Amino acid sequence: MILANAFCLFFFLGEEFYEASPYEPVTSRLSDIFRLASIFSGTGADPVVSAKSNHCLDAAKACNLNDNCKKLRSSYISICNREISPTERCNRRKCHKALRQFFDRVPSEFTYRMLFCSCQDLACAERRRQTILPSCSYEDKEKPNCLDLRGVCRTDHLCRSRLADFHANCRASYHTVTSCPADNYQACLGSYAGMIGFDMTPNYVDSSPTGIVVSPWCNCRGSGNMEEECEKFLRDFTENPCLRNAIQAFGNGTDVNVSPKGPSFQATQAPRVEKTPSLPDDLSDSTGLGTSVITTCTSVQEQGLKANNSKELSMCFTELTTNIIPGSNKVIKPNSGPSRARPSAALTMLSVLLLKLAL
């Protein structure tokens, strides 16, 4: 009985630190959105003008120009700012739901610009931090222990799935160029945005325009003998090079261009014709078939291609068939008659006639 209880306790406490993501892996990239972000962030433009721009404010203005983005953003701002009572600043459950709807239904070209905009000053960074209305959706009177918060998250199947997906796509990898799994910034940014609107909602910890630090609303006080695991869990947010690089890269519009690690294929080259094809005896240089056509025919025959798949082969057959006498292997020039005498036969007859006259 004691062994059974000990086994149950071990099983309960020994849950996996990283769980497998239930979502399909993200293989596409946001190169176009990264380039769009670089335009709005002023990368490559006058540094003085770019430094004076509030890119987070520009992102909010762009959202207001899109009907769907404006509608859903106005909805979550209204809900998250609605005070319930003097002791209850808002309805967090409804605020989280409105945030999930915004990030799930609005295209990432708008949501990412608001979440990951690059900043050069305090005002811009504070606007970025306020994007999700943190006083309602993020902050609380006290910070819970991070492992306790993780436990609460894992009791909800959707929050648990989003957390597992974040770990799968943002866990720091020291075997890649970007420190992200498969060098995929998009997967990490999407997983981060997917956790907003749950108990594990992350956000920027301060308004620093240069140092990017994000975290869920928790700490590791009171972790006891689980403090090491708690610190490791928290560092996946606060000291994560993959997540930091992904946010900075999007803000600067500098997505990494990594070649796929698949088998390399060499481009097929046209076969080189070593020898000039021999022409029939009665085919002169003035024939309508040029050298290029003969070379094309030879190349096509060597490759064994089909006529209906090659423009050159079709031309080759057209030229040849119009210059071949049916039922014969003899090639003639177009418009040449069958009774045309050969020059060699005329010379032979002239020689015989001159010989008879001499005799």
Side-chain angles (χ1 to χ4, degrees):
M1 183 71 178
I2 296 176
L3 288 176
N5 290 338
F7 176 77
C8 291
L9 181 62
F10 173 80
F11 180 79
F12 184 78
L13 293 177
E15 60 178 324
E16 294 182 23
F17 189 85
Y18 294 121
E19 296 184 325
S21 172
Y23 301 104
E24 290 291 329
V26 178
T27 55
S28 59
R29 296 183 182 274
L30 288 173
S31 297
D32 290 339
I33 299 181
F34 272 77
R35 283 192 290 270
L36 184 64
S38 70
I39 296 173
F40 288 109
S41 65
T43 303
D46 186 350
V48 177
V49 177
S50 179
K52 293 181 179 179
S53 301
N54 187 327
H55 303 304
C56 296
L57 178 60
D58 295 339
K61 291 178 179 178
C63 177
N64 287 334
L65 295 177
N66 179 274
D67 291 339
N68 187 43
C69 186
K70 180 180 179 180
K71 176 183 176 182
L72 291 175
R73 179 170 177 261
S74 299
S75 176
Y76 85 72
I77 289 176
S78 174
I79 293 173
C80 296
N81 276 330
R82 189 177 302 155
E83 186 175 316
I84 303 300
S85 65
T87 57
E88 190 175 4
R89 70 181 96 181
C90 67
N91 188 322
R92 174 171 287 199
R93 184 181 61 82
K94 290 184 177 181
C95 176
H96 279 175
K97 182 179 180 181
L99 280 169
R100 290 197 302 270
Q101 289 178 341
F102 176 76
F103 286 102
D104 287 344
R105 298 179 184 180
V106 176
S108 54
E109 62 186 276
F110 298 106
T111 59
Y112 283 20
R113 284 184 59 196
M114 295 174 63
L115 273 180
F116 310 124
C117 43
S118 63
C119 289
Q120 304 292 331
D121 55 49
L122 191 67
C124 175
E126 177 60 20
R127 174 176 280 274
R128 180 175 62 188
R129 193 185 72 85
Q130 290 289 338
T131 296
I132 63 170
L133 279 301
S135 60
C136 180
S137 67
Y138 177 68
E139 300 166 0
D140 209 343
K141 296 177 182 178
E142 295 182 359
K143 283 188 176 182
N145 180 273
C146 291
L147 296 183
D148 292 342
L149 186 64
R150 183 184 68 176
V152 172
C153 174
R154 286 181 171 178
T155 60
D156 177 81
H157 73 280
L158 192 53
C159 183
R160 185 173 194 159
S161 299
R162 299 291 177 92
L163 178 61
D165 195 57
F166 170 78
H167 283 144
N169 294 316
C170 292
R171 189 190 316 171
S173 171
Y174 299 98
H175 303 289
T176 58
V177 176
T178 62
S179 298
C180 286
D183 287 309
N184 196 334
Y185 283 151
Q186 176 191 357
C188 181
L189 295 179
S191 297
Y192 175 91
M195 286 196 301
I196 296 175
F198 294 94
D199 292 315
M200 195 58 70
T201 295
N203 196 33
Y204 299 91
V205 298
D206 55 35
S207 301
S208 171
T210 53
I212 294 178
V213 181
V214 297
S215 172
W217 183 260
C218 65
N219 57 36
C220 288
R221 294 196 192 99
S223 298
N225 59 356
M226 302 290 288
E227 185 172 359
E228 184 177 350
E229 181 175 345
C230 181
E231 293 289 349
K232 181 182 178 182
F233 175 81
L234 188 57
R235 282 195 301 269
D236 279 340
F237 293 90
T238 59
E239 301 176 20
N240 189 327
C242 167
L243 180 59
R244 183 177 61 250
N245 291 343
I247 294 174
Q248 289 177 337
F250 182 86
N252 298 328
T254 54
D255 189 14
V256 66
N257 185 15
V258 179
S259 301
K261 298 180 180 179
S264 59
F265 297 95
Q266 295 182 351
T268 304
Q269 297 181 353
R272 184 175 58 186
V273 179
E274 298 293 345
K275 294 189 285 186
T276 304
S278 57
L279 304 180
D281 294 337
D282 53 353
L283 186 62
S284 67
D285 291 339
S286 61
T287 307
L289 291 173
T291 306
S292 60
V293 177
I294 296 296
T295 305
T296 301
C297 295
T298 306
S299 300
V300 168
Q301 290 168 358
E302 287 177 358
Q303 295 181 70
L305 300 175
K306 296 181 180 180
N308 59 351
N309 289 333
S310 173
K311 180 180 179 182
E312 291 81 8
L313 186 56
S314 176
M315 177 184 71
C316 174
F317 282 130
T318 303
E319 292 288 345
L320 286 178
T321 52
T322 55
N323 291 283
I324 298 178
I325 300 175
S328 171
N329 293 327
K330 197 176 294 182
V331 182
I332 63 172
K333 294 193 293 183
N335 302 324
S336 62
S339 60
R340 182 175 179 179
R342 296 189 181 189
S344 58
L347 289 174
T348 302
M349 293 178 65
L350 181 61
S351 300
V352 173
L353 180 60
L354 290 174
L355 181 61
K356 287 183 178 182
L357 291 176
L359 294 175

